[in-house]
Amino acid sequence: MLGAALLGASAAALGTGGAAVAAEGDAGRGRGLAGLPKPAVIAHRGASGHRPEHTLGAYQLALDMGADIVEAGDLVITKDGHLVCRHEPEIGGTTDVAAHPEFAGRRTTKSLDGVATTGWFAEDFTLAELKTLRAKERVPANRPHNTLYDGVWEIPTFEEVLRWQDEQARRRGKQVFIYPELKHPSYFREQGLPLEERLAKVLRRHGKHRRTSPVLLQSFEPTSIRRMRELVDNPLAVLLSSAGTRPWDLQQQGDPRKVSDLITPQGLAWIASFADGIGPTLDLIVPRDAAGNLTSPTTLVADAHKAGLILHPYTMRNENPFLPANFRRGAEPDAYGDAFAAFSAYFDTGIDGVFTDQPDTGLLARELWRAAR
């Protein structure tokens, strides 16, 4: 069984299982969430453990590796109203903007969800100006091998991602799922650049606003997701940070609820009234103790499923600093720990999928986990 699992996973990663891919495509086409395996392997910002995040190179590699869903991308907006894919509005950490003297004067400090943040911001640039920049690795200390690709790719627009998605679906004969996130929607709305309406308009223009469209939408702001429910029929998920935090939109509205309130049966029922799922941090699924080791799972998976919600927690990474302490191997910041054991521990909880920076590891881990059971 182990040999079969390894062979199957290798074939999927290398794209050699042609007949299986075709059959899978026939079964999954037009089914939306119903076309996804469980647990789904979601490429976090693309194959960001292997390429600089939110680049077409990272998205393509994730798909070639066999990822079930590609998180393409985190959506921010330009000065002239174009949706682009960056981890945050501040682009100094993920592009070479600091090396462009013509943009030195754009460096500024802004309040981003109540936090003073200094750098260069996407909304201060036109799309044409952003296209002169190139992406770079965000965490080079953990991924020095990714710095090889610094400067290779430009910042993709969301419309470019949708065209890429269509082309990949034609080539592969099956749905290609993407999972864009609305980043800091309250922040952009205050600047007269509402993300929700622009995103809905783009999705409708491309015919990808339906219940069965292979485009899942997510945000850390529940009211943004509730607004999207009024604009499109796509599957929607509310992202949840640590238990003691308050979503920024709720803070602005004077809503006292914290994430700890939203993961109660009552809070989950409220989310289920306008969303299809949640994306909790993995620590809400299996907490860590003071030493960083995994403890016993919470009831969140069962409670969410009882409310009719799917769970796509985040984020599994292979490198030591990101893993629970009991799965680390050595102390090097770029060394891999026992990611397979960590994946297995999370899969055991009954989650519907997981975000990972290394989708190749996640896919093989799933095959090994299935074979062992």
Side-chain angles (χ1 to χ4, degrees):
M1 289 180 66
L2 178 59
L6 288 166
L7 182 59
S10 298
L14 294 172
T16 56
V21 166
E24 192 175 290
D26 292 340
R29 188 178 292 114
R31 294 175 57 204
L33 288 175
L36 289 169
K38 179 182 173 179
V41 173
I42 307 163
H44 186 235
R45 307 173 196 163
S48 55
H50 304 287
R51 300 289 187 271
E53 64 188 32
H54 286 312
T55 59
L56 287 176
Y59 300 158
Q60 184 66 50
L61 182 60
L63 206 56
D64 290 344
M65 285 178 167
D68 302 309
I69 312 173
V70 180
E71 189 190 28
D74 289 340
L75 301 180
V76 299
I77 196 164
T78 66
K79 186 178 184 179
D80 48 348
H82 294 275
L83 296 174
V84 297
C85 304
R86 285 294 85 194
H87 173 48
E88 291 288 343
E90 198 290 303
I91 60 174
T94 60
T95 74
D96 62 355
V97 64
H100 286 252
E102 67 272 26
F103 299 135
R106 307 276 179 97
R107 190 171 188 269
T108 187
T109 299
K110 298 188 180 187
S111 178
L112 186 59
D113 291 3
V115 178
T117 305
T118 300
W120 292 262
F121 293 81
E123 68 272 15
D124 294 333
F125 292 76
T126 66
L127 178 59
E129 289 173 331
L130 282 184
K131 283 295 188 179
T132 67
L133 307 180
R134 292 296 180 269
K136 69 175 185 178
E137 173 55 38
R138 186 176 61 87
V139 286
N142 304 114
R143 291 163 184 170
H145 52 282
N146 277 11
T147 62
L148 171 66
Y149 304 99
D150 286 357
V152 173
W153 291 287
E154 61 183 30
I155 298 174
T157 68
F158 186 53
E159 296 225 43
E160 288 170 343
V161 167
L162 293 177
R163 290 193 290 270
W164 167 82
Q165 180 189 27
D166 288 340
E167 174 60 25
Q168 293 302 311
R170 283 192 294 270
R171 288 185 182 183
R172 297 165 192 268
K174 66 172 185 176
Q175 282 188 323
V176 170
F177 286 85
I178 61 172
Y179 213 146
E181 176 187 343
L182 291 87
K183 300 294 293 194
H184 304 283
S186 293
Y187 166 81
F188 282 114
R189 184 169 290 276
E190 289 175 350
Q191 299 181 69
L193 297 168
L195 291 177
E196 295 90 350
E197 288 79 4
R198 282 170 168 79
L199 176 55
K201 184 177 180 180
V202 171
L203 290 173
R204 288 183 175 278
R205 185 160 61 242
H206 287 260
K208 297 185 179 184
H209 60 287
R210 302 181 178 88
R211 188 70 183 164
T212 56
S213 298
V215 181
L216 293 68
L217 306 177
Q218 56 182 332
S219 177
F220 278 100
E221 297 190 13
T223 58
S224 179
I225 290 299
R226 189 167 58 184
R227 184 174 285 111
M228 290 305 303
R229 174 54 69 222
E230 299 170 355
L231 297 171
V232 294
D233 292 327
N234 299 71
L236 306 174
V238 173
L239 297 169
L240 300 169
S241 189
S242 56
T245 62
R246 282 174 70 195
W248 180 246
D249 57 330
L250 299 190
Q251 289 190 51
Q252 285 192 312
Q253 296 169 16
D255 189 324
R257 287 179 296 175
K258 298 180 179 179
V259 168
S260 57
D261 300 303
L262 299 183
I263 60 176
T264 63
Q266 295 79 12
L268 292 169
W270 176 69
I271 291 174
S273 69
F274 56 86
D276 304 278
I278 57 174
T281 175
L282 284 165
D283 289 347
L284 293 176
I285 305 290
V286 188
R288 305 187 194 192
D289 62 21
N293 298 305
L294 287 190
T295 60
S296 299
T298 68
T299 63
L300 181 55
V301 173
D303 292 343
H305 283 163
K306 188 174 181 179
L309 296 166
I310 61 172
L311 296 95
H312 289 156
Y314 66 93
T315 303
M316 259 299 300
R317 298 177 170 102
N318 291 357
E319 296 89 359
N320 275 319
F322 306 114
L323 288 169
N326 44 321
F327 299 121
R328 296 171 192 162
R329 299 293 179 265
E332 293 300 318
D334 61 333
Y336 283 5
D338 189 358
F340 291 115
F343 270 110
S344 183
Y346 293 123
F347 288 154
D348 281 343
T349 65
I351 56 177
D352 300 285
V354 65
F355 286 84
T356 175
D357 288 5
Q358 287 92 3
D360 51 340
T361 304
L363 289 162
L364 182 53
R366 183 177 66 188
E367 295 305 315
L368 296 172
W369 176 76
R370 286 173 172 171
R373 284 151 184 78

